Amino acid sequence: MGTYNIPRNTKGEGRLFYIFSTKALLWTVGGLMLGVVIKTILKYIGSLFKAAGAFNIVGIILTIILALLGFVIGTFKMPKNERFEITKKAAGIGLDKVLIESIKFKLNRVKLYVYDTDELSREEIEHELDEKEKNEEKEEKLRAEQIEKANRNRRGYIR
């Protein structure tokens, strides 16, 4: 008897350094650049108040936080959590994809229409009842025709 290898998903096993992917690097650099811009603005504001050192430290901290946030957005996927509807629907999708799609949705200002579901279900039920009545009438007609046909084809039937 020969050996049989059970198939399994080995896609992620060779990706030891996935956290250093190009996408994560780009998001990290984006967060870093935004942090540097904010740091420069804070440094300029600090020089106006003659407290450039304090504002510079706050800018460095914000730069590090934004770089880490960019790394997290580029690397992690949306977790699955049954408590929240968005995590049920978007579980397993990258955070960057979720973020970009939500921004696109907000910018398009798509109108959502909410219908009265009671009225829709009432119409569906009425439609189903009408169909049921029509089907019953057709079946009754078919039965009557079959009985009539059977009566005509009887042998020895005396009228």
Side-chain angles (χ1 to χ4, degrees):
M1 183 181 269
T3 60
Y4 177 73
N5 292 330
I6 298 173
R8 61 190 179 124
N9 185 8
T10 58
K11 180 180 177 187
E13 291 180 4
R15 299 168 65 180
L16 182 61
F17 295 110
Y18 175 72
I19 59 172
F20 301 115
S21 67
T22 309
K23 182 171 71 169
L25 180 67
L26 290 174
W27 277 96
T28 304
V29 169
L32 192 65
M33 298 296 273
L34 183 64
V36 167
V37 169
I38 292 173
K39 178 183 168 276
T40 306
I41 293 170
L42 286 176
K43 188 175 179 182
Y44 178 72
I45 292 171
S47 67
L48 292 176
F49 292 117
K50 299 198 177 27
F55 279 90
N56 195 23
I57 292 172
V58 170
I60 291 171
I61 292 171
L62 282 174
T63 302
I64 292 170
I65 289 173
L66 287 173
L68 287 174
L69 184 65
F71 178 74
V72 167
I73 289 172
T75 305
F76 295 126
K77 297 187 181 302
M78 188 70 126
K80 184 175 183 179
N81 189 346
E82 297 295 324
R83 291 183 186 169
F84 305 109
E85 190 168 338
I86 190 167
T87 57
K88 278 191 229 177
K89 292 179 179 177
I93 300 173
L95 287 178
D96 60 329
K97 204 61 142 170
V98 172
L99 184 67
I100 290 170
E101 292 299 322
S102 63
I103 290 171
K104 282 182 186 177
F105 182 77
K106 292 287 183 184
L107 290 178
N108 286 339
R109 297 180 187 237
V110 176
K111 293 181 183 178
L112 298 176
Y113 296 96
V114 179
Y115 297 101
D116 183 14
T117 57
D118 294 336
E119 186 176 320
L120 288 175
S121 60
R122 189 177 316 119
E123 289 174 3
E124 286 178 7
I125 291 171
E126 289 174 357
H127 183 68
E128 287 175 5
L129 289 175
D130 289 341
E131 279 188 25
K132 197 181 235 184
E133 285 179 15
K134 288 178 184 177
N135 288 339
E136 287 175 359
E137 288 174 8
K138 285 180 183 178
E139 288 176 9
E140 188 63 37
K141 257 186 186 178
L142 284 173
R143 265 191 237 116
E145 288 176 8
Q146 287 175 348
I147 290 173
E148 180 69 31
K149 195 175 188 181
N151 285 339
R152 273 190 266 138
N153 292 335
R154 277 190 177 171
R155 289 189 183 164
Y157 178 72
I158 303 173
R159 290 189 188 182

